[in-house]
Amino acid sequence: MSRTTAIQSDTAVKRSVRIGVVDDHDLFRAGVIAAITAGADDIEIVGQAGDVQSSVRMIAETRPDVVLLDVHVPGGEGGGGSEIILRSMPYAPHTLYLALSVSDSPTDVGAVIRAGARGYVTKTITAPDLIASIHQVAEGYAVFSPKLAGFVLNALGPGSPQGGVQGTMPDPNADYNPYAQPTPTAAPVPDDDIDIDVLSPREQEVMRLIARGYSYKEVAAELFISVKTVETHVSKVLRKLQLSNRGELARWAAYRRIV
């Protein structure tokens, strides 16, 4: 095979990154899509939405590689981007999420990261940097604006990083460089050695509802128990299944087709 043929072959097998865009501001969403389309010929826009319900439906129908989403999205139970991630995981367990928001609030950052987002950048990002960030998330890296790194560490808590964040955390004192190549780690693979029978019947009920995206309050109302009891059950479920957060739980349940 000639060198020219080899190059053509490599180009031919390069697959586009399929993305969905979620933002409730139509003009901003259209601008993001236009900027990505103009700046990258290897990113395909497969869907867009402006509220929680239509976002979950879009993700379930198109199963994008990456979803670019705002953290404040109307509809649903008021959970915004976090709710979209949790409710979509059973339908598209391999989809990854990159938050794009005007907010740099620790509360917003922590909520979406705990839900399972693989990155968080603010809307001050340039189009080339956003495109690079989408590619990095698609390749399994974590992408965070440096000023948000401390929030992310706080959100994950002390000790080892928890699910939803993979790769090397950026240096908060360094200039933002979305082209940096941190050492990636593979996405967590559900453990086939752990069976659902390790959970009590009540824990299984709680697990299924949480995996479907129910809030603690909704689970409590559904099962006629207190929110505190729900929290206790969820802690036990995560410990027994060796998972770190609700995002991993949703992937675990989807992988086993039990939700």
Side-chain angles (χ1 to χ4, degrees):
M1 180 183 295
S2 69
R3 182 175 181 274
T4 301
T5 304
I7 293 175
Q8 291 174 341
S9 177
D10 289 342
T11 303
V13 300
K14 186 177 181 180
R15 190 175 69 90
S16 295
V17 178
R18 303 171 65 257
I19 76 166
V21 181
V22 174
D23 195 287
D24 63 316
H25 295 94
D26 293 344
L27 286 177
F28 179 81
R29 190 172 69 244
V32 168
I33 291 174
I36 293 173
T37 302
D41 58 6
D42 59 350
I43 294 180
E44 177 187 0
I45 310 295
V46 297
Q48 57 176 298
D51 58 57
V52 171
Q53 293 93 327
S54 60
S55 296
V56 174
R57 184 168 58 252
M58 177 271 290
I59 294 168
E61 291 174 353
T62 63
R63 298 191 177 188
D65 298 315
V66 177
V67 172
L68 192 64
L69 81 168
D70 195 0
V71 297
H72 296 297
V73 183
E77 300 299 324
S82 299
E83 182 179 346
I84 291 170
I85 294 173
L86 292 170
R87 288 178 56 181
S88 299
M89 280 182 177
Y91 306 110
H94 300 297
T95 294
L96 303 174
Y97 298 85
L98 172 62
L100 172 65
S101 178
V102 69
S103 172
D104 59 2
S105 161
T107 300
D108 291 335
V109 176
V112 76
I113 295 304
R114 288 192 188 96
R118 298 288 287 271
Y120 194 117
V121 294
T122 63
K123 290 181 177 179
T124 58
I125 193 170
T126 64
D129 286 352
L130 178 59
I131 290 169
S133 296
I134 292 170
H135 281 124
Q136 285 188 301
V137 169
E139 293 166 5
Y141 295 91
V143 179
F144 299 98
S145 298
K147 68 177 296 186
L148 302 180
F151 299 162
V152 175
L153 291 172
N154 289 335
L156 294 175
S160 59
Q162 297 180 13
V165 179
Q166 304 294 327
T168 302
M169 194 66 64
D171 178 1
N173 297 316
D175 292 331
Y176 179 50
N177 179 12
Y179 299 93
Q181 295 295 314
T183 302
T185 57
V189 176
D191 193 337
D192 285 332
D193 294 332
I194 302 178
D195 193 86
I196 192 174
D197 291 337
V198 302
L199 305 179
S200 70
R202 176 61 92 185
E203 288 168 351
Q204 291 185 31
E205 290 180 312
V206 171
M207 178 274 296
R208 285 189 170 91
L209 293 176
I210 292 294
R212 289 172 187 159
Y214 280 55
S215 67
Y216 286 177
K217 185 176 180 180
E218 290 171 330
V219 175
E222 181 79 11
L223 301 180
F224 303 100
I225 57 180
S226 70
V227 173
K228 185 66 176 177
T229 300
V230 174
E231 292 174 349
T232 299
H233 283 314
V234 171
S235 294
K236 290 180 179 178
V237 168
L238 293 176
R239 185 180 70 252
K240 289 181 179 181
L241 298 181
Q242 299 179 24
L243 303 173
S244 299
N245 56 36
R246 292 174 55 171
E248 287 189 3
L249 177 60
R251 283 190 288 271
W252 184 90
Y255 181 81
R256 291 172 171 269
R257 301 179 185 275
I258 57 177
V259 292

